[in-house]
Every structure is written in structure tokens, then in C-alpha cells.
Tab-separated table of all heavy atoms in Angstrom:
chain	number	residue	atom	x	y	z
A	1	LYS	N	7.735	80.067	122.588
A	1	LYS	CA	7.068	79.758	123.846
A	1	LYS	C	7.892	80.314	124.999
A	1	LYS	O	9.120	80.227	124.992
A	1	LYS	CB	6.906	78.249	124.017
A	1	LYS	CG	5.913	77.619	123.054
A	1	LYS	CD	5.724	76.149	123.359
A	1	LYS	CE	4.662	75.544	122.454
A	1	LYS	NZ	4.448	74.111	122.745
A	2	GLN	N	7.190	80.849	125.976
A	2	GLN	CA	7.874	81.399	127.144
A	2	GLN	C	8.592	80.276	127.902
A	2	GLN	O	8.027	79.229	128.169
A	2	GLN	CB	6.872	82.077	128.067
A	2	GLN	CG	7.518	82.789	129.252
A	2	GLN	CD	6.509	83.534	130.105
A	2	GLN	OE1	5.309	83.447	129.859
A	2	GLN	NE2	6.968	84.254	131.091
A	3	GLY	N	9.852	80.515	128.219
A	3	GLY	CA	10.616	79.534	128.967
A	3	GLY	C	11.136	78.376	128.150
A	3	GLY	O	11.681	77.413	128.704
A	4	ARG	N	10.981	78.433	126.826
A	4	ARG	CA	11.484	77.364	125.960
A	4	ARG	C	12.463	77.955	124.948
A	4	ARG	O	12.363	79.136	124.592
A	4	ARG	CB	10.334	76.674	125.210
A	4	ARG	CG	9.288	76.028	126.094
A	4	ARG	CD	9.854	74.887	126.913
A	4	ARG	NE	10.445	73.848	126.102
A	4	ARG	CZ	9.754	72.874	125.509
A	4	ARG	NH1	8.444	72.813	125.630
A	4	ARG	NH2	10.382	71.946	124.806
A	5	SER	N	13.391	77.127	124.500
A	5	SER	CA	14.370	77.575	123.509
A	5	SER	C	14.939	76.364	122.798
A	5	SER	O	14.644	75.215	123.152
A	5	SER	CB	15.503	78.369	124.176
A	5	SER	OG	16.318	77.509	124.956
A	6	CYS	N	15.794	76.619	121.807
A	6	CYS	CA	16.434	75.511	121.096
A	6	CYS	C	17.354	74.727	122.022
A	6	CYS	O	17.641	73.552	121.770
A	6	CYS	CB	17.193	76.030	119.885
A	6	CYS	SG	18.535	77.171	120.275
A	7	ALA	N	17.829	75.363	123.114
A	7	ALA	CA	18.702	74.664	124.063
A	7	ALA	C	17.997	73.470	124.687
A	7	ALA	O	18.632	72.469	125.021
A	7	ALA	CB	19.178	75.631	125.146
A	8	ASP	N	16.666	73.564	124.866
A	8	ASP	CA	15.905	72.437	125.422
A	8	ASP	C	16.054	71.193	124.555
A	8	ASP	O	16.270	70.085	125.057
A	8	ASP	CB	14.413	72.791	125.520
A	8	ASP	CG	14.134	73.892	126.522
A	8	ASP	OD1	15.004	74.755	126.688
A	8	ASP	OD2	13.056	73.888	127.116
A	9	LEU	N	15.932	71.373	123.238
A	9	LEU	CA	15.990	70.238	122.319
A	9	LEU	C	17.406	69.690	122.205
A	9	LEU	O	17.603	68.473	122.152
A	9	LEU	CB	15.469	70.663	120.943
A	9	LEU	CG	14.052	71.234	120.905
A	9	LEU	CD1	13.633	71.520	119.474
A	9	LEU	CD2	13.060	70.290	121.563
A	10	VAL	N	18.387	70.582	122.175
A	10	VAL	CA	19.779	70.131	122.100
A	10	VAL	C	20.145	69.361	123.364
A	10	VAL	O	20.787	68.303	123.310
A	10	VAL	CB	20.725	71.326	121.882
A	10	VAL	CG1	22.182	70.877	121.919
A	10	VAL	CG2	20.425	72.004	120.555
A	11	TRP	N	19.747	69.888	124.523
A	11	TRP	CA	20.027	69.203	125.799
A	11	TRP	C	19.386	67.821	125.810
A	11	TRP	O	20.026	66.842	126.216
A	11	TRP	CB	19.491	70.039	126.957
A	11	TRP	CG	19.791	69.473	128.317
A	11	TRP	CD1	20.885	69.731	129.092
A	11	TRP	CD2	18.980	68.556	129.061
A	11	TRP	NE1	20.804	69.024	130.268
A	11	TRP	CE2	19.648	68.300	130.282
A	11	TRP	CE3	17.757	67.934	128.819
A	11	TRP	CZ2	19.129	67.446	131.250
A	11	TRP	CZ3	17.248	67.075	129.781
A	11	TRP	CH2	17.918	66.836	130.979
A	12	SER	N	18.133	67.717	125.351
A	12	SER	CA	17.424	66.436	125.351
A	12	SER	C	18.136	65.417	124.471
A	12	SER	O	18.321	64.259	124.853
A	12	SER	CB	15.982	66.629	124.873
A	12	SER	OG	15.287	67.505	125.724
A	13	GLN	N	18.543	65.847	123.278
A	13	GLN	CA	19.205	64.922	122.352
A	13	GLN	C	20.568	64.487	122.895
A	13	GLN	O	20.969	63.335	122.744
A	13	GLN	CB	19.363	65.570	120.986
A	13	GLN	CG	18.056	65.813	120.273
A	13	GLN	CD	17.781	64.788	119.191
A	13	GLN	OE1	18.632	64.007	118.797
A	13	GLN	NE2	16.557	64.800	118.699
A	14	ARG	N	21.277	65.402	123.533
A	14	ARG	CA	22.581	65.023	124.078
A	14	ARG	C	22.430	64.099	125.283
A	14	ARG	O	23.294	63.255	125.538
A	14	ARG	CB	23.380	66.280	124.438
A	14	ARG	CG	23.937	66.970	123.199
A	14	ARG	CD	24.842	68.116	123.538
A	14	ARG	NE	25.418	68.680	122.315
A	14	ARG	CZ	25.815	69.934	122.193
A	14	ARG	NH1	25.707	70.756	123.215
A	14	ARG	NH2	26.326	70.370	121.058
A	15	MET	N	21.350	64.251	126.022
A	15	MET	CA	21.069	63.300	127.098
A	15	MET	C	20.825	61.914	126.513
A	15	MET	O	21.296	60.903	127.040
A	15	MET	CB	19.863	63.764	127.908
A	15	MET	CG	20.153	64.903	128.866
A	15	MET	SD	21.276	64.431	130.201
A	15	MET	CE	20.226	63.314	131.132
A	16	LEU	N	20.102	61.856	125.403
A	16	LEU	CA	19.844	60.567	124.757
A	16	LEU	C	21.140	59.957	124.235
A	16	LEU	O	21.374	58.748	124.375
A	16	LEU	CB	18.850	60.756	123.605
A	16	LEU	CG	17.398	61.040	123.992
A	16	LEU	CD1	16.577	61.357	122.757
A	16	LEU	CD2	16.793	59.856	124.734
A	17	THR	N	21.999	60.785	123.640
A	17	THR	CA	23.260	60.246	123.122
A	17	THR	C	24.160	59.765	124.254
A	17	THR	O	24.926	58.813	124.081
A	17	THR	CB	24.013	61.290	122.281
A	17	THR	OG1	24.297	62.452	123.079
A	17	THR	CG2	23.196	61.707	121.078
A	18	SER	N	24.067	60.401	125.426
A	18	SER	CA	24.870	59.933	126.561
A	18	SER	C	24.411	58.555	127.016
A	18	SER	O	25.222	57.726	127.437
A	18	SER	CB	24.788	60.933	127.722
A	18	SER	OG	23.505	60.937	128.309
A	19	VAL	N	23.103	58.293	126.909
A	19	VAL	CA	22.593	56.961	127.235
A	19	VAL	C	23.064	55.962	126.180
A	19	VAL	O	23.448	54.828	126.499
A	19	VAL	CB	21.046	56.977	127.314
A	19	VAL	CG1	20.504	55.576	127.546
A	19	VAL	CG2	20.582	57.904	128.425
A	20	VAL	N	23.050	56.385	124.927
A	20	VAL	CA	23.497	55.507	123.840
A	20	VAL	C	24.951	55.079	124.050
A	20	VAL	O	25.305	53.916	123.845
A	20	VAL	CB	23.343	56.221	122.478
A	20	VAL	CG1	24.065	55.460	121.373
A	20	VAL	CG2	21.870	56.375	122.130
A	21	THR	N	25.805	56.011	124.448
A	21	THR	CA	27.232	55.704	124.580
A	21	THR	C	27.571	54.957	125.866
A	21	THR	O	28.718	54.530	126.033
A	21	THR	CB	28.068	57.003	124.524
A	21	THR	OG1	27.598	57.910	125.545
A	21	THR	CG2	27.945	57.656	123.162
A	22	ARG	N	26.597	54.790	126.759
A	22	ARG	CA	26.867	54.110	128.021
A	22	ARG	C	26.033	52.850	128.223
A	22	ARG	O	26.319	52.056	129.119
A	22	ARG	CB	26.624	55.062	129.198
A	22	ARG	CG	27.704	56.134	129.331
A	22	ARG	CD	27.294	57.201	130.327
A	22	ARG	NE	28.385	58.142	130.582
A	22	ARG	CZ	28.737	59.125	129.771
A	22	ARG	NH1	28.077	59.307	128.637
A	22	ARG	NH2	29.743	59.925	130.064
A	23	ARG	N	25.006	52.658	127.419
A	23	ARG	CA	24.119	51.519	127.614
A	23	ARG	C	23.796	50.856	126.274
A	23	ARG	O	24.103	51.386	125.214
A	23	ARG	CB	22.811	51.966	128.298
A	23	ARG	CG	23.040	52.607	129.662
A	23	ARG	CD	21.729	53.007	130.287
A	23	ARG	NE	21.930	53.675	131.569
A	23	ARG	CZ	20.935	54.160	132.321
A	23	ARG	NH1	19.687	54.044	131.923
A	23	ARG	NH2	21.202	54.754	133.466
A	24	GLU	N	23.131	49.744	126.348
A	24	GLU	CA	22.703	49.037	125.138
A	24	GLU	C	21.402	49.663	124.638
A	24	GLU	O	20.306	49.178	124.932
A	24	GLU	CB	22.513	47.543	125.434
A	24	GLU	CG	23.793	46.823	125.803
A	24	GLU	CD	24.791	46.812	124.659
A	24	GLU	OE1	24.340	46.771	123.493
A	24	GLU	OE2	26.004	46.860	124.926
A	25	PHE	N	21.521	50.742	123.912
A	25	PHE	CA	20.347	51.480	123.443
A	25	PHE	C	20.739	52.239	122.195
A	25	PHE	O	21.852	52.743	122.087
A	25	PHE	CB	19.866	52.444	124.533
A	25	PHE	CG	18.835	53.442	124.075
A	25	PHE	CD1	17.520	53.055	123.842
A	25	PHE	CD2	19.175	54.772	123.873
A	25	PHE	CE1	16.575	53.984	123.427
A	25	PHE	CE2	18.235	55.701	123.449
A	25	PHE	CZ	16.942	55.297	123.239
A	26	GLU	N	19.847	52.329	121.236
A	26	GLU	CA	20.079	53.150	120.055
A	26	GLU	C	18.743	53.659	119.535
A	26	GLU	O	17.685	53.108	119.847
A	26	GLU	CB	20.808	52.377	118.962
A	26	GLU	CG	20.008	51.246	118.332
A	26	GLU	CD	20.765	50.599	117.187
A	26	GLU	OE1	21.837	50.018	117.435
A	26	GLU	OE2	20.262	50.671	116.045
A	27	TYR	N	18.794	54.725	118.780
A	27	TYR	CA	17.572	55.259	118.183
A	27	TYR	C	17.922	55.889	116.843
A	27	TYR	O	19.093	56.130	116.536
A	27	TYR	CB	16.887	56.270	119.111
A	27	TYR	CG	17.620	57.581	119.282
A	27	TYR	CD1	17.277	58.702	118.522
A	27	TYR	CD2	18.641	57.708	120.220
A	27	TYR	CE1	17.939	59.908	118.687
A	27	TYR	CE2	19.305	58.907	120.393
A	27	TYR	CZ	18.947	60.004	119.629
A	27	TYR	OH	19.608	61.204	119.797
A	28	SER	N	16.900	56.123	116.058
A	28	SER	CA	17.075	56.754	114.751
A	28	SER	C	16.192	57.986	114.680
A	28	SER	O	15.210	58.108	115.425
A	28	SER	CB	16.703	55.780	113.627
A	28	SER	OG	17.527	54.630	113.668
A	29	LYS	N	16.533	58.897	113.792
A	29	LYS	CA	15.725	60.109	113.647
A	29	LYS	C	15.803	60.611	112.214
A	29	LYS	O	16.764	60.338	111.482
A	29	LYS	CB	16.176	61.200	114.615
A	29	LYS	CG	17.618	61.676	114.401
A	29	LYS	CD	17.916	62.834	115.319
A	29	LYS	CE	19.297	63.429	115.021
A	29	LYS	NZ	19.529	64.690	115.728
A	30	ILE	N	14.758	61.307	111.827
A	30	ILE	CA	14.712	61.950	110.517
A	30	ILE	C	14.455	63.431	110.728
A	30	ILE	O	13.481	63.823	111.392
A	30	ILE	CB	13.607	61.347	109.626
A	30	ILE	CG1	13.998	59.940	109.177
A	30	ILE	CG2	13.364	62.217	108.410
A	30	ILE	CD1	12.981	59.273	108.282
A	31	ASN	N	15.350	64.242	110.203
A	31	ASN	CA	15.167	65.691	110.251
A	31	ASN	C	14.438	66.116	108.983
A	31	ASN	O	14.940	65.930	107.874
A	31	ASN	CB	16.518	66.400	110.352
A	31	ASN	CG	16.371	67.908	110.415
A	31	ASN	OD1	16.203	68.559	109.396
A	31	ASN	ND2	16.439	68.448	111.603
A	32	ILE	N	13.238	66.651	109.143
A	32	ILE	CA	12.406	67.031	107.998
A	32	ILE	C	12.639	68.502	107.665
A	32	ILE	O	12.400	69.375	108.497
A	32	ILE	CB	10.918	66.783	108.296
A	32	ILE	CG1	10.687	65.304	108.604
A	32	ILE	CG2	10.049	67.219	107.123
A	32	ILE	CD1	9.255	64.979	108.983
A	33	ASP	N	13.108	68.736	106.462
A	33	ASP	CA	13.321	70.104	105.990
A	33	ASP	C	12.215	70.440	104.994
A	33	ASP	O	11.923	69.653	104.095
A	33	ASP	CB	14.690	70.236	105.321
A	33	ASP	CG	15.001	71.675	104.947
A	33	ASP	OD1	15.548	72.382	105.800
A	33	ASP	OD2	14.689	72.080	103.814
A	34	MET	N	11.598	71.602	105.167
A	34	MET	CA	10.485	72.007	104.297
A	34	MET	C	10.896	73.157	103.391
A	34	MET	O	11.680	74.018	103.772
A	34	MET	CB	9.278	72.389	105.133
A	34	MET	CG	8.758	71.228	105.963
A	34	MET	SD	7.340	71.673	106.964
A	34	MET	CE	7.308	70.289	108.108
A	35	THR	N	10.359	73.162	102.202
A	35	THR	CA	10.672	74.182	101.207
A	35	THR	C	9.797	75.411	101.411
A	35	THR	O	8.573	75.311	101.378
A	35	THR	CB	10.462	73.626	99.785
A	35	THR	OG1	11.270	72.454	99.610
A	35	THR	CG2	10.819	74.660	98.739
A	36	ALA	N	10.448	76.569	101.645
A	36	ALA	CA	9.720	77.848	101.787
A	36	ALA	C	8.500	77.693	102.677
A	36	ALA	O	7.392	78.107	102.330
A	36	ALA	CB	9.319	78.372	100.407
A	37	ALA	N	8.720	77.104	103.863
A	37	ALA	CA	7.600	76.698	104.710
A	37	ALA	C	6.659	77.852	105.067
A	37	ALA	O	5.439	77.729	104.960
A	37	ALA	CB	8.137	76.043	105.987
A	38	PHE	N	7.220	78.988	105.472
A	38	PHE	CA	6.381	80.106	105.912
A	38	PHE	C	5.591	80.712	104.741
A	38	PHE	O	4.593	81.392	104.952
A	38	PHE	CB	7.255	81.190	106.544
A	38	PHE	CG	7.719	80.882	107.933
A	38	PHE	CD1	8.358	79.694	108.231
A	38	PHE	CD2	7.510	81.781	108.966
A	38	PHE	CE1	8.801	79.401	109.508
A	38	PHE	CE2	7.943	81.507	110.256
A	38	PHE	CZ	8.592	80.314	110.524
A	39	ASN	N	6.046	80.468	103.522
A	39	ASN	CA	5.460	81.132	102.357
A	39	ASN	C	4.322	80.350	101.718
A	39	ASN	O	3.680	80.862	100.793
A	39	ASN	CB	6.531	81.376	101.292
A	39	ASN	CG	7.696	82.187	101.830
A	39	ASN	OD1	7.606	82.763	102.905
A	39	ASN	ND2	8.780	82.210	101.103
A	40	THR	N	4.086	79.115	102.165
A	40	THR	CA	3.126	78.267	101.455
A	40	THR	C	1.837	78.006	102.224
A	40	THR	O	0.876	77.518	101.635
A	40	THR	CB	3.770	76.908	101.122
A	40	THR	OG1	4.180	76.257	102.333
A	40	THR	CG2	4.995	77.089	100.224
A	41	ILE	N	1.823	78.313	103.509
A	41	ILE	CA	0.642	77.963	104.308
A	41	ILE	C	-0.578	78.788	103.879
A	41	ILE	O	-0.453	79.956	103.511
A	41	ILE	CB	0.915	78.149	105.813
A	41	ILE	CG1	1.410	79.563	106.126
A	41	ILE	CG2	1.930	77.125	106.295
A	41	ILE	CD1	1.657	79.815	107.603
A	42	ARG	N	-1.752	78.140	103.943
A	42	ARG	CA	-3.000	78.809	103.555
A	42	ARG	C	-3.565	79.587	104.734
A	42	ARG	O	-3.640	79.076	105.854
A	42	ARG	CB	-4.011	77.774	103.059
A	42	ARG	CG	-3.614	77.102	101.759
A	42	ARG	CD	-4.770	76.275	101.217
A	42	ARG	NE	-5.116	75.189	102.125
A	42	ARG	CZ	-4.673	73.950	102.010
A	42	ARG	NH1	-3.845	73.638	101.027
A	42	ARG	NH2	-5.038	73.023	102.868
A	43	ARG	N	-4.035	80.775	104.461
A	43	ARG	CA	-4.506	81.639	105.549
A	43	ARG	C	-5.839	81.168	106.126
A	43	ARG	O	-6.089	81.326	107.319
A	43	ARG	CB	-4.592	83.084	105.051
A	43	ARG	CG	-3.212	83.622	104.736
A	43	ARG	CD	-3.217	85.037	104.226
A	43	ARG	NE	-1.840	85.467	103.990
A	43	ARG	CZ	-1.517	86.650	103.493
A	43	ARG	NH1	-2.459	87.515	103.162
A	43	ARG	NH2	-0.245	86.966	103.323
A	44	GLN	N	-6.688	80.580	105.306
A	44	GLN	CA	-7.948	80.065	105.835
A	44	GLN	C	-7.688	78.909	106.792
A	44	GLN	O	-8.398	78.729	107.790
A	44	GLN	CB	-8.859	79.603	104.694
A	44	GLN	CG	-10.258	79.180	105.140
A	44	GLN	CD	-10.970	80.280	105.916
A	44	GLN	OE1	-11.052	81.425	105.471
A	44	GLN	NE2	-11.493	79.943	107.092
């Protein structure tokens, strides 16, 4: 996407962690890894 990059997501997560380390707040996350993702999608 124009004007977007992985830095956007890293910045967002580090902003969240800064709130976690300074306030009473916590969150959880699951990183989903897919097997051969680009190779399995159906063209139709």
C-alpha cells in the first residue's frame, strides 16, 4: 500500500508496549504463520 510499511506496525506495537510498561494495562497476541501461503490460494 502506498504510504504504508512494516514500520507502521512496529511503531504501533512499541507504542502499546510503552503504555504497558507505564500503566496498568496488558494485552495478548497470536502471530499466525501460514504454510506456503502464496502457493495454496485458489485462483477462482
Side-chain angles (χ1 to χ4, degrees):
K1 291 185 176 181
Q2 185 176 5
R4 300 296 302 278
S5 70
C6 62
D8 294 31
L9 303 184
V10 175
W11 183 90
S12 299
Q13 293 258 348
R14 285 186 176 153
M15 284 294 291
L16 288 174
T17 59
S18 70
V19 176
V20 168
T21 56
R22 287 169 173 78
R23 300 181 182 178
E24 295 296 327
F25 169 74
E26 67 176 64
Y27 70 97
S28 300
K29 62 175 186 170
I30 289 181
N31 180 279
I32 300 177
D33 186 88
M34 298 180 196
T35 303
F38 283 53
N39 303 347
T40 60
I41 55 178
R42 293 190 297 264
R43 294 179 178 177
Q44 186 56 51

